Each structure stands twice: as structure tokens, then as C-alpha cells.
Amino acid sequence: MFSEKDKQQIKRKGLTLRKVEQQIELFENGIPFANLVAEATINDGILSLSEDDMQEFMSYFESKKDSVSILKFVPASGAATRMFKFLYSFLEEYDLEKGSINSYINRYKNNDLSLFFIGLEKFPFYHIVQEKLNKTYPNFDSLSINEQRLNFVKMMLDTGKLDYGNSPKGLMPFHKYKKQVVSTAFEEHLYESALYSSNNESTKLHFTISEKHNHKFDEEFSRIEQKVEEITGSKFDISFSYQKESTDTIAVTPKNKPFREDDGSLHFRPSGHGALIENLNDLNADIIFIKNIDNVVTYKYKNEVVKYKKVLAGILLKIQEQVFKYLEVLEDGIVSEEQLIEIGEFLVNSMNVKISSEFEKYSRIYQIEYLTEKLNRPIRVCGMVKNEGEPGGGPFWIKDESGNISLQIVESAQINKKSKVQKLILKNATHFNPVDLVCGIKNYKGDKFDLKKFIDAKAAFITMKTKTGKDLKALELPGLWNGSMANWNTVFVEVPLITFNPVKTVNDLLKAPHQIKSNV
């Protein structure tokens, strides 16, 4: 299937021939759907906390945070293009000579565009665009309202102008404070992280970014560093990494043959956010917070958001402390039956681990091995918000091919919608995943786990794409918080909707958590 030239190309990417052949086998055999057993709900996979519980976990985190290393991991490689999808359509379709923008909105029932223009002055970039327009068009105020609005959108998006659509999402103006001071999502992450970082160390953040934007993030940090450090009273240790080329996956034709470029070379594609498990695996910290770049709030809401970060971290530290104690007992090898029962009950009640019904029949030595294997894994504590119809993954109990049942975050693309049973479980889901994780990646001896050993390779995705007019099949690796963490120990905790404020479309910036004053 592969020529010597192909093998050299594979090697240059940091891939092995066997790995590429395994990817093609996945295309040929297909990827099984996740087998949902039930939706995770309050008291059946999702922990619901009282105010007293939350205070206890927050206090526990505060008491321990100066004795552990803390890092925030932020996937931030995406461009802002999709934020402006309806505006790009408007530029493509609207003809100034054929009528007003209002008639265009009414004809296409374009509510997004209507809301955009109603809230125009409330956007954090409004004055930036307006200043550029006034310099470019000295007679701007005398133009018709339709010309003004069309030129406003062009100034925002045209190449050679502000070109916001090709900007990294993390460097887009997200919030506007007094005196027209604008902050980006990148800057807001610094402010938030300082509120739960260790007092003994600088506030550490790691962003995964596109290599072509590296200098832009460096420039932004240089611009804001002094201001942010003065406001927070914290020093910052910022690091960046890129999605590794060795995580790219081969594309195939609809008949599962390698898809080739016009010059005959193999076509590889980035494999989605699951590739970032490699970046996460390269980091070293006792506690790692994970949150997407666009999920930030203005200062007014930060304390509320941070409260739940501390709660999740407190739960992680408390569970981890107990896990480590039990692993030391098991390592000693002299374990009473009462201790084995206690450890088993802890796994079931505190960590949602299903114990084999055959456990009591195992020999004492194998019982110790079994419990050790269940306990000695990376741990993640994940916030879950009530389902409000947002797109994205959710918490479910699933059964693997060996019959083991576990808690997982499952994307809708992994679910067989043709199965009435599976579709009903999906429909009944009460919560969804806002990507709000706190992770423990070290074992009870203080050594880092090799996170690549805990991936479920079969939880990948196959999608149909086109390139130069030809159909191809692309392979996305198991998502970072989906299959890439499938064999971690998992605790789901209900958190309020205020902790989830993503900016998927530019109009999301008009919502209250992104506005200093009341929103539209």
C-alpha cells in the first residue's frame, strides 16, 4: 500500500508505519458507537452539593493549595472564524443596490444579524472598528445607515483590515471595561487563574495554540503583563505548545485507500482536540485545571466562577488523599477483609467505580491486585451543568466491549441515533459537559502517569470531508475529555450555569456575563 517515498513522509511526521496502518484499519472496520447504559443523573453518577459541602471543599482546597503545584491548561488553537459565520454570509449575499439591510434580514429571517446590529455599540470592539472607519472614510457619518453597517462588517472581517475572523479566538476583544479598556479571553484567563493559584509560586498557565500565532500571544502577554500583575498581585509563568504533527491522522478515499495530494503524496489532517492528550502528558503539576479559551466572564462574575473551581479542586484533593492512603495499604500486602470491603465501598460510593460481581470469589492476592488497578489511575473531577439544550457532550454510564460499566463524557456523534433505546437515553440526559475539569495526573508515589496508557483508541470519530472537490474520510482521535480520558477515575459534580459562558458566536458577547452593564 505504501511506497518507499510514503514511508519517508510518514517518518518525517513522527509517525510509524504501524500507526498509520492501524488508522486505516479503523476506517475499514468502522468505529463502534458508544453503548449507553443510562444517563448520569443526580445521585446516580453526578454529585449534588449543599452549601455546607461546598464550603468544606473550598476550605480544604485553601488549606492545601500552597503545598501543591497548580497549573491551568487552556486549549486555544482555534481561530475566531466560526464566531462570524452569519456575518460572512451577509457579506457574500447582501447587495447594497438591491435594498436595505432590514429588507435582507426580513427576507432571510436572519435574527442573528438583526441582534448584531441592535447590540452593535455594546460589542467590546465597537470603538476600535469605529475609529478605523472614521480614519478610512472621513465622510463616514454622512453615509447611509446601510453603507455604514456594511462598511462596519467589512472593516471587522476583510483581509488587510482588522481581519477578526483569522485572529486567534483567544486574542479577540471579549470584554470592555471603563475608559474603553478592552480585554481578550487570554487576559481574562490570567485574572481568573490568579484567584486560585498557589501563594508560594507564580500563577502558571499553559495554552495550546497554533504555531503561526505564537508571536501574537507573546506580544499580547508583553502588552498586558505589567497591568495584570499589578491588579492581581501575582507573577505569571505562561507557556505554550502546539498540536504535534505526529498526532495527525491519514485521510482515506471513500473506499478506504490512502487519499493523495495532486503530487502523489499522502494527505494527513489534524486529529482534533484529542491530540492534546500528548501536550497534557508533557506537563508536570499536582493539580491541572482544564477550561476552554472562550469560557470566561467579566470581573463581576469571577468570584462566583472561582468558587466552583475551588470546590472541584477540593473534591479532587480529598479523594486523592484517600486513594493514596488505600494504595499504600494495598502495597503493604497485609490487608484484612474489613479493609478490602472498605476500599471496595469507597470505590463504589465515592468514585463511581463498578466492582465485578465475581470479586468475592477472587483469591486475596488477586483482590489486592484488582483494587490496586482500579485505584491507581489519573483522577478527574468534572463540573456538569443542567441541560439547557446546548450542543456538546454529556455524562453517561456506558458499557465497553468487555462488559465493564463506567462514567464517561460522550459526544452526540458517538451515539447511534438509529437505536430507539440509545436515542431515548440521549434525550433523557439531564446534564451536559461545559469542559470544566480538575485533574490529578500523579500516582501515590508522586510520579506522573503516562496518560497515553489510559486512552480508549476505539472512541475515535470518522467524518466526511472534501478536498479540492474530492470526498475523503477523516479520522479524529478520541476527544481530550472523551476517549482520551476513558480509563481515568471520574467524578461528576453539578455546577451552576454561570460557570459556562462560551462564545460560540459573536452575539454571545452580548450576554450578561460578557457585559459590564446590562445586556440587550
Side-chain angles (χ1 to χ4, degrees), residues 277-383:
I277 196 70
E278 297 260 1
N279 304 63
L280 189 63
N281 202 36
D282 289 340
L283 301 175
N284 188 4
D286 296 318
I287 297 179
I288 298 181
F289 292 84
I290 301 180
K291 193 176 179 186
N292 277 333
I293 187 67
D294 63 348
N295 186 11
V296 290
V297 291
T298 59
Y299 72 87
K300 180 178 167 184
Y301 298 93
K302 274 196 174 37
N303 285 335
E304 186 72 2
V305 169
V306 166
K307 169 184 174 180
Y308 289 94
K309 290 280 176 293
K310 292 178 177 180
V311 168
L312 297 180
I315 294 170
L316 172 72
L317 286 170
K318 210 151 205 184
I319 285 175
Q320 202 175 49
E321 184 178 49
Q322 190 61 63
V323 166
F324 290 175
K325 283 179 183 174
Y326 284 145
L327 282 166
E328 284 164 3
V329 169
L330 292 168
E331 186 182 42
D332 193 41
I334 305 165
V335 191
S336 68
E337 190 170 339
E338 288 76 20
Q339 285 175 309
L340 288 173
I341 291 169
E342 181 186 325
I343 294 169
E345 286 178 346
F346 172 79
L347 277 163
V348 171
N349 297 327
S350 297
M351 301 186 71
N352 300 299
V353 174
K354 301 289 187 185
I355 300 291
S356 169
S357 57
E358 303 289 306
F359 181 77
E360 290 180 9
K361 298 175 185 176
Y362 298 159
S363 67
R364 179 63 57 90
I365 291 173
Y366 185 58
Q367 285 180 333
I368 290 171
E369 283 179 14
Y370 179 88
L371 292 177
T372 299
E373 194 274 333
K374 291 289 185 188
L375 284 169
N376 197 27
R377 303 177 180 209
I379 303 171
R380 58 176 177 164
V381 178
C382 314

Side-chain angles (χ1 to χ4, degrees), residues 71-75 206 208 276 280 283 288-291 480:
L71 173 76
K72 187 180 190 180
F73 180 83
V74 185
H206 183 88
T208 61
L276 299 182
L280 189 63
L283 301 175
I288 298 181
F289 292 84
I290 301 180
K291 193 176 179 186
L480 179 59

Side-chain angles (χ1 to χ4, degrees), residues 17 49 88 99 140 142 283 299 388:
L17 185 60
L49 302 175
Y88 280 117
F140 183 79
S142 64
L283 301 175
Y299 72 87
E388 302 270 335

